[in-house]
Amino acid sequence: MKAERLNEILDQIEQDLGISERIKIELKPMKIKAASISFKSKTLRINKNMLKDLDEDCIRYLILHELIHYKLKSTYHSDRFYRQLDEKISRSEARELEGKILRSLLELNNIL
Amino acid sequence: MKAERLNEILDQIEQDLGISERIKIELKPMKIKAASISFKSKTLRINKNMLKDLDEDCIRYLILHELIHYKLKSTYHSDRFYRQLDEKISRSEARELEGKILRSLLELNNIL
């Protein structure tokens, strides 16, 4: 996926969540993580090693997931976190995308 | 879940996959892994820290997943691996269970 397209998706989701700060997106090879966000540097990182396995819906999910962490200024997957997520994506769709992401992580780590 | 029930599920799946060796099952707190299998000691480990989040279908999936590794004597998630998995569980069901497992892993690690 091209950087331009990534930034388009990022912009859409930022708007949708009502985030006004400018978040940067970065592709970075990581060992364990699928994605991460730094509240301080306002940088969302996606694991470069997983990109080849992930379709646009998965990327969109990762960006949504990280931006909800940013919005809540919390890295926890609390009830509050999942309530926000549920507003933007159905549980069954989220579950399916999370399953795809797990499969991609399996290629990088022996988590099972 | 009781040890007895775990062993029942293990026995069922071993039979179904045509594995004649006796595999031991062990609950062990692990940091990164959901489950693992040792070919040498014939021990299947499930992450004790995740048990509270996982329903019986997820546990069954983890056991099936590890026993396919054992049967193929390979820790890779190759096409051959997924062909075996597809014979035992539909893709959509597997995806959903993998999504649940990812969510449980999220509680233990900041993988996203």
Side-chain angles (χ1 to χ4, degrees):
Chain A
M1 188 181 294
K2 288 186 178 159
E4 208 174 87
R5 182 72 192 123
L6 272 178
N7 278 302
E8 264 175 37
I9 297 172
L10 178 73
D11 285 350
Q12 278 168 11
I13 301 177
E14 274 208 77
Q15 260 188 17
D16 190 33
L17 291 174
I19 296 172
S20 54
E21 291 103 325
R22 202 88 195 100
I23 309 288
K24 287 187 296 283
I25 204 160
E26 211 177 85
L27 299 176
K28 196 187 165 195
M30 294 188 275
K31 223 176 129 82
I32 303 277
K33 287 175 191 292
S36 72
I37 192 151
S38 161
F39 304 149
K40 204 175 158 198
S41 69
K42 300 183 173 52
T43 305
L44 189 165
R45 291 186 179 89
I46 294 177
N47 192 336
K48 199 174 181 174
N49 298 329
M50 289 172 66
L51 267 193
K52 62 171 178 9
D53 301 320
L54 301 177
D55 57 28
E56 187 166 315
D57 286 342
C58 284
I59 304 280
R60 187 185 294 278
Y61 174 82
L62 286 177
I63 294 174
L64 172 65
H65 185 112
E66 297 309 320
L67 288 180
I68 292 175
H69 282 310
Y70 184 84
K71 190 178 174 186
L72 300 177
K73 293 289 184 295
S74 159
T75 57
Y76 291 111
H77 300 98
S78 57
D79 291 347
R80 204 165 131 244
F81 178 89
Y82 283 120
R83 272 199 303 275
Q84 286 268 333
L85 190 65
D86 286 347
E87 276 181 28
K88 299 302 172 190
I89 185 172
S90 76
R91 289 207 178 195
S92 62
E93 201 188 340
R95 204 48 66 71
E96 175 162 356
L97 296 173
E98 289 159 358
K100 285 188 192 173
I101 291 163
L102 184 81
R103 285 215 178 177
S104 170
L105 269 172
L106 286 184
E107 305 302 316
L108 302 176
N109 300 294
N110 292 320
I111 51 182
L112 66 147
Chain B
M1 186 179 293
K2 289 188 178 157
E4 207 173 88
R5 182 74 192 122
L6 272 177
N7 277 303
E8 264 175 39
I9 297 172
L10 178 73
D11 285 351
Q12 277 168 12
I13 301 176
E14 274 207 78
Q15 259 188 18
D16 190 35
L17 290 174
I19 296 173
S20 53
E21 291 102 324
R22 202 89 194 101
I23 309 288
K24 285 187 298 281
I25 205 160
E26 209 178 86
L27 298 176
K28 196 189 166 194
M30 294 190 274
K31 224 177 127 83
I32 304 279
K33 288 175 192 292
S36 72
I37 193 153
S38 160
F39 303 149
K40 205 175 156 198
S41 69
K42 300 184 173 49
T43 305
L44 190 164
R45 291 185 180 90
I46 295 178
N47 192 336
K48 199 175 180 175
N49 298 328
M50 290 172 65
L51 266 194
K52 62 171 179 11
D53 301 320
L54 300 177
D55 57 26
E56 186 165 317
D57 286 342
C58 284
I59 304 281
R60 187 184 294 280
Y61 174 82
L62 286 177
I63 294 175
L64 172 65
H65 186 111
E66 296 310 320
L67 287 181
I68 292 175
H69 282 310
Y70 185 85
K71 189 177 174 185
L72 299 178
K73 296 287 185 295
S74 157
T75 56
Y76 290 110
H77 300 97
S78 57
D79 290 348
R80 204 165 130 245
F81 178 90
Y82 283 119
R83 271 199 303 275
Q84 287 267 335
L85 190 65
D86 286 348
E87 276 180 28
K88 300 299 173 192
I89 185 173
S90 76
R91 291 209 176 195
S92 61
E93 200 188 341
R95 205 45 68 70
E96 175 162 355
L97 296 173
E98 289 159 358
K100 286 188 189 173
I101 293 163
L102 184 81
R103 285 213 178 178
S104 169
L105 269 171
L106 286 183
E107 306 301 317
L108 302 177
N109 299 293
N110 291 322
I111 50 182
L112 66 148

mmCIF file of all heavy atoms in Angstrom, chain B residues 47-71:
data_model
loop_
_atom_site.group_PDB
_atom_site.id
_atom_site.type_symbol
_atom_site.label_atom_id
_atom_site.label_comp_id
_atom_site.label_asym_id
_atom_site.label_seq_id
_atom_site.Cartn_x
_atom_site.Cartn_y
_atom_site.Cartn_z
ATOM 1 N N ASN B 47 -1.138 -21.247 27.701
ATOM 2 C CA ASN B 47 -0.832 -20.136 28.597
ATOM 3 C C ASN B 47 -1.896 -20.008 29.690
ATOM 4 O O ASN B 47 -3.053 -19.683 29.414
ATOM 5 C CB ASN B 47 -0.732 -18.830 27.803
ATOM 6 C CG ASN B 47 -0.148 -17.710 28.629
ATOM 7 O OD1 ASN B 47 -0.217 -17.731 29.862
ATOM 8 N ND2 ASN B 47 0.427 -16.726 27.955
ATOM 9 N N LYS B 48 -1.476 -20.256 30.903
ATOM 10 C CA LYS B 48 -2.391 -20.239 32.045
ATOM 11 C C LYS B 48 -3.030 -18.854 32.233
ATOM 12 O O LYS B 48 -4.178 -18.751 32.648
ATOM 13 C CB LYS B 48 -1.593 -20.618 33.305
ATOM 14 C CG LYS B 48 -2.432 -21.076 34.452
ATOM 15 C CD LYS B 48 -1.570 -21.556 35.610
ATOM 16 C CE LYS B 48 -2.460 -22.022 36.753
ATOM 17 N NZ LYS B 48 -1.670 -22.614 37.848
ATOM 18 N N ASN B 49 -2.267 -17.825 31.907
ATOM 19 C CA ASN B 49 -2.767 -16.451 32.079
ATOM 20 C C ASN B 49 -3.931 -16.118 31.147
ATOM 21 O O ASN B 49 -4.647 -15.147 31.368
ATOM 22 C CB ASN B 49 -1.649 -15.430 31.822
ATOM 23 C CG ASN B 49 -0.507 -15.578 32.793
ATOM 24 O OD1 ASN B 49 -0.721 -15.963 33.942
ATOM 25 N ND2 ASN B 49 0.711 -15.298 32.340
ATOM 26 N N MET B 50 -4.065 -16.891 30.072
ATOM 27 C CA MET B 50 -5.117 -16.593 29.107
ATOM 28 C C MET B 50 -6.381 -17.407 29.351
ATOM 29 O O MET B 50 -7.433 -17.110 28.770
ATOM 30 C CB MET B 50 -4.616 -16.863 27.682
ATOM 31 C CG MET B 50 -3.563 -15.863 27.218
ATOM 32 S SD MET B 50 -2.818 -16.338 25.628
ATOM 33 C CE MET B 50 -4.254 -16.190 24.548
ATOM 34 N N LEU B 51 -6.275 -18.412 30.192
ATOM 35 C CA LEU B 51 -7.394 -19.357 30.358
ATOM 36 C C LEU B 51 -8.708 -18.674 30.724
ATOM 37 O O LEU B 51 -9.770 -19.033 30.226
ATOM 38 C CB LEU B 51 -7.062 -20.392 31.433
ATOM 39 C CG LEU B 51 -6.456 -21.714 30.960
ATOM 40 C CD1 LEU B 51 -6.515 -22.705 32.092
ATOM 41 C CD2 LEU B 51 -7.154 -22.276 29.726
ATOM 42 N N LYS B 52 -8.612 -17.670 31.596
ATOM 43 C CA LYS B 52 -9.841 -17.011 32.057
ATOM 44 C C LYS B 52 -10.597 -16.310 30.914
ATOM 45 O O LYS B 52 -11.811 -16.134 30.983
ATOM 46 C CB LYS B 52 -9.540 -16.020 33.182
ATOM 47 C CG LYS B 52 -8.612 -14.886 32.758
ATOM 48 C CD LYS B 52 -8.502 -13.784 33.824
ATOM 49 C CE LYS B 52 -7.559 -12.650 33.451
ATOM 50 N NZ LYS B 52 -7.034 -12.550 32.081
ATOM 51 N N ASP B 53 -9.865 -15.919 29.863
ATOM 52 C CA ASP B 53 -10.500 -15.208 28.743
ATOM 53 C C ASP B 53 -11.045 -16.145 27.667
ATOM 54 O O ASP B 53 -11.774 -15.701 26.790
ATOM 55 C CB ASP B 53 -9.474 -14.300 28.029
ATOM 56 C CG ASP B 53 -8.872 -13.280 28.961
ATOM 57 O OD1 ASP B 53 -9.622 -12.742 29.791
ATOM 58 O OD2 ASP B 53 -7.659 -13.014 28.840
ATOM 59 N N LEU B 54 -10.617 -17.391 27.708
ATOM 60 C CA LEU B 54 -10.899 -18.259 26.560
ATOM 61 C C LEU B 54 -12.040 -19.227 26.851
ATOM 62 O O LEU B 54 -12.056 -19.885 27.891
ATOM 63 C CB LEU B 54 -9.639 -19.036 26.186
ATOM 64 C CG LEU B 54 -8.423 -18.182 25.787
ATOM 65 C CD1 LEU B 54 -7.217 -19.071 25.504
ATOM 66 C CD2 LEU B 54 -8.735 -17.313 24.581
ATOM 67 N N ASP B 55 -12.988 -19.306 25.921
ATOM 68 C CA ASP B 55 -14.069 -20.282 26.076
ATOM 69 C C ASP B 55 -13.597 -21.643 25.541
ATOM 70 O O ASP B 55 -12.497 -21.775 25.011
ATOM 71 C CB ASP B 55 -15.336 -19.789 25.368
ATOM 72 C CG ASP B 55 -15.103 -19.507 23.892
ATOM 73 O OD1 ASP B 55 -14.183 -20.114 23.299
ATOM 74 O OD2 ASP B 55 -15.832 -18.674 23.329
ATOM 75 N N GLU B 56 -14.469 -22.640 25.702
ATOM 76 C CA GLU B 56 -14.054 -23.997 25.330
ATOM 77 C C GLU B 56 -13.689 -24.114 23.850
ATOM 78 O O GLU B 56 -12.761 -24.851 23.486
ATOM 79 C CB GLU B 56 -15.152 -25.007 25.715
ATOM 80 C CG GLU B 56 -14.691 -26.431 25.467
ATOM 81 C CD GLU B 56 -15.549 -27.500 26.138
ATOM 82 O OE1 GLU B 56 -15.924 -27.319 27.308
ATOM 83 O OE2 GLU B 56 -15.824 -28.512 25.481
ATOM 84 N N ASP B 57 -14.389 -23.392 22.987
ATOM 85 C CA ASP B 57 -14.070 -23.457 21.555
ATOM 86 C C ASP B 57 -12.664 -22.937 21.273
ATOM 87 O O ASP B 57 -11.958 -23.449 20.397
ATOM 88 C CB ASP B 57 -15.085 -22.641 20.737
ATOM 89 C CG ASP B 57 -16.427 -23.352 20.652
ATOM 90 O OD1 ASP B 57 -16.483 -24.570 20.910
ATOM 91 O OD2 ASP B 57 -17.427 -22.680 20.317
ATOM 92 N N CYS B 58 -12.263 -21.891 21.999
ATOM 93 C CA CYS B 58 -10.902 -21.357 21.814
ATOM 94 C C CYS B 58 -9.856 -22.367 22.290
ATOM 95 O O CYS B 58 -8.829 -22.565 21.626
ATOM 96 C CB CYS B 58 -10.716 -20.053 22.582
ATOM 97 S SG CYS B 58 -11.490 -18.640 21.802
ATOM 98 N N ILE B 59 -10.106 -22.977 23.435
ATOM 99 C CA ILE B 59 -9.181 -23.980 23.979
ATOM 100 C C ILE B 59 -9.062 -25.150 22.990
ATOM 101 O O ILE B 59 -7.965 -25.626 22.694
ATOM 102 C CB ILE B 59 -9.701 -24.532 25.327
ATOM 103 C CG1 ILE B 59 -9.938 -23.411 26.323
ATOM 104 C CG2 ILE B 59 -8.754 -25.591 25.867
ATOM 105 C CD1 ILE B 59 -8.735 -22.890 27.008
ATOM 106 N N ARG B 60 -10.214 -25.577 22.490
ATOM 107 C CA ARG B 60 -10.233 -26.667 21.516
ATOM 108 C C ARG B 60 -9.398 -26.273 20.275
ATOM 109 O O ARG B 60 -8.632 -27.067 19.752
ATOM 110 C CB ARG B 60 -11.689 -26.942 21.126
ATOM 111 C CG ARG B 60 -11.914 -28.157 20.234
ATOM 112 C CD ARG B 60 -13.392 -28.247 19.835
ATOM 113 N NE ARG B 60 -14.252 -28.505 20.970
ATOM 114 C CZ ARG B 60 -14.433 -29.718 21.517
ATOM 115 N NH1 ARG B 60 -13.829 -30.769 20.991
ATOM 116 N NH2 ARG B 60 -15.220 -29.863 22.550
ATOM 117 N N TYR B 61 -9.574 -25.013 19.848
ATOM 118 C CA TYR B 61 -8.807 -24.543 18.687
ATOM 119 C C TYR B 61 -7.304 -24.565 18.977
ATOM 120 O O TYR B 61 -6.510 -25.009 18.142
ATOM 121 C CB TYR B 61 -9.235 -23.119 18.282
ATOM 122 C CG TYR B 61 -8.343 -22.591 17.181
ATOM 123 C CD1 TYR B 61 -8.572 -22.928 15.852
ATOM 124 C CD2 TYR B 61 -7.220 -21.807 17.475
ATOM 125 C CE1 TYR B 61 -7.718 -22.500 14.851
ATOM 126 C CE2 TYR B 61 -6.358 -21.380 16.485
ATOM 127 C CZ TYR B 61 -6.614 -21.725 15.175
ATOM 128 O OH TYR B 61 -5.751 -21.304 14.189
ATOM 129 N N LEU B 62 -6.918 -24.089 20.155
ATOM 130 C CA LEU B 62 -5.487 -24.060 20.504
ATOM 131 C C LEU B 62 -4.913 -25.483 20.495
ATOM 132 O O LEU B 62 -3.808 -25.711 19.989
ATOM 133 C CB LEU B 62 -5.262 -23.422 21.883
ATOM 134 C CG LEU B 62 -5.413 -21.905 21.978
ATOM 135 C CD1 LEU B 62 -5.221 -21.441 23.424
ATOM 136 C CD2 LEU B 62 -4.418 -21.182 21.066
ATOM 137 N N ILE B 63 -5.677 -26.424 21.054
ATOM 138 C CA ILE B 63 -5.194 -27.809 21.104
ATOM 139 C C ILE B 63 -5.086 -28.385 19.687
ATOM 140 O O ILE B 63 -4.075 -28.998 19.322
ATOM 141 C CB ILE B 63 -6.112 -28.665 22.008
ATOM 142 C CG1 ILE B 63 -5.998 -28.181 23.468
ATOM 143 C CG2 ILE B 63 -5.768 -30.152 21.898
ATOM 144 C CD1 ILE B 63 -6.942 -28.878 24.450
ATOM 145 N N LEU B 64 -6.114 -28.144 18.884
ATOM 146 C CA LEU B 64 -6.069 -28.600 17.484
ATOM 147 C C LEU B 64 -4.858 -28.015 16.759
ATOM 148 O O LEU B 64 -4.102 -28.731 16.078
ATOM 149 C CB LEU B 64 -7.374 -28.180 16.777
ATOM 150 C CG LEU B 64 -7.430 -28.401 15.261
ATOM 151 C CD1 LEU B 64 -7.376 -29.892 14.917
ATOM 152 C CD2 LEU B 64 -8.707 -27.773 14.660
ATOM 153 N N HIS B 65 -4.665 -26.713 16.915
ATOM 154 C CA HIS B 65 -3.567 -26.003 16.260
ATOM 155 C C HIS B 65 -2.215 -26.637 16.638
ATOM 156 O O HIS B 65 -1.391 -26.951 15.765
ATOM 157 C CB HIS B 65 -3.643 -24.525 16.684
ATOM 158 C CG HIS B 65 -2.672 -23.619 15.997
ATOM 159 N ND1 HIS B 65 -3.063 -22.650 15.093
ATOM 160 C CD2 HIS B 65 -1.329 -23.522 16.077
ATOM 161 C CE1 HIS B 65 -1.992 -22.008 14.660
ATOM 162 N NE2 HIS B 65 -0.919 -22.508 15.241
ATOM 163 N N GLU B 66 -2.012 -26.835 17.929
ATOM 164 C CA GLU B 66 -0.723 -27.391 18.382
ATOM 165 C C GLU B 66 -0.554 -28.844 17.933
ATOM 166 O O GLU B 66 0.543 -29.257 17.559
ATOM 167 C CB GLU B 66 -0.608 -27.270 19.905
ATOM 168 C CG GLU B 66 -0.581 -25.842 20.431
ATOM 169 C CD GLU B 66 0.426 -24.944 19.741
ATOM 170 O OE1 GLU B 66 1.547 -25.418 19.453
ATOM 171 O OE2 GLU B 66 0.088 -23.781 19.460
ATOM 172 N N LEU B 67 -1.645 -29.601 17.963
ATOM 173 C CA LEU B 67 -1.523 -31.012 17.569
ATOM 174 C C LEU B 67 -1.250 -31.155 16.070
ATOM 175 O O LEU B 67 -0.608 -32.117 15.638
ATOM 176 C CB LEU B 67 -2.764 -31.807 17.984
ATOM 177 C CG LEU B 67 -2.909 -32.085 19.489
ATOM 178 C CD1 LEU B 67 -4.170 -32.905 19.759
ATOM 179 C CD2 LEU B 67 -1.679 -32.811 20.059
ATOM 180 N N ILE B 68 -1.715 -30.208 15.272
ATOM 181 C CA ILE B 68 -1.358 -30.245 13.838
ATOM 182 C C ILE B 68 0.143 -29.975 13.687
ATOM 183 O O ILE B 68 0.830 -30.643 12.906
ATOM 184 C CB ILE B 68 -2.219 -29.268 13.003
ATOM 185 C CG1 ILE B 68 -3.673 -29.760 12.984
ATOM 186 C CG2 ILE B 68 -1.688 -29.165 11.570
ATOM 187 C CD1 ILE B 68 -4.653 -28.819 12.286
ATOM 188 N N HIS B 69 0.673 -29.015 14.464
ATOM 189 C CA HIS B 69 2.139 -28.839 14.448
ATOM 190 C C HIS B 69 2.828 -30.161 14.788
ATOM 191 O O HIS B 69 3.800 -30.556 14.157
ATOM 192 C CB HIS B 69 2.582 -27.781 15.479
ATOM 193 C CG HIS B 69 2.369 -26.360 15.042
ATOM 194 N ND1 HIS B 69 2.795 -25.879 13.828
ATOM 195 C CD2 HIS B 69 1.790 -25.294 15.676
ATOM 196 C CE1 HIS B 69 2.478 -24.593 13.730
ATOM 197 N NE2 HIS B 69 1.865 -24.209 14.829
ATOM 198 N N TYR B 70 2.301 -30.827 15.808
ATOM 199 C CA TYR B 70 2.919 -32.087 16.239
ATOM 200 C C TYR B 70 2.847 -33.136 15.137
ATOM 201 O O TYR B 70 3.835 -33.797 14.821
ATOM 202 C CB TYR B 70 2.235 -32.614 17.514
ATOM 203 C CG TYR B 70 2.917 -33.841 18.050
ATOM 204 C CD1 TYR B 70 4.030 -33.726 18.885
ATOM 205 C CD2 TYR B 70 2.488 -35.109 17.688
ATOM 206 C CE1 TYR B 70 4.681 -34.849 19.350
ATOM 207 C CE2 TYR B 70 3.135 -36.243 18.148
ATOM 208 C CZ TYR B 70 4.234 -36.110 18.974
ATOM 209 O OH TYR B 70 4.894 -37.227 19.429
ATOM 210 N N LYS B 71 1.676 -33.258 14.556
ATOM 211 C CA LYS B 71 1.485 -34.272 13.506
ATOM 212 C C LYS B 71 2.447 -34.031 12.336
ATOM 213 O O LYS B 71 3.031 -34.964 11.791
ATOM 214 C CB LYS B 71 0.037 -34.221 13.023
ATOM 215 C CG LYS B 71 -0.320 -35.376 12.089
ATOM 216 C CD LYS B 71 -1.770 -35.348 11.671
ATOM 217 C CE LYS B 71 -2.010 -36.432 10.625
ATOM 218 N NZ LYS B 71 -3.378 -36.379 10.092
#
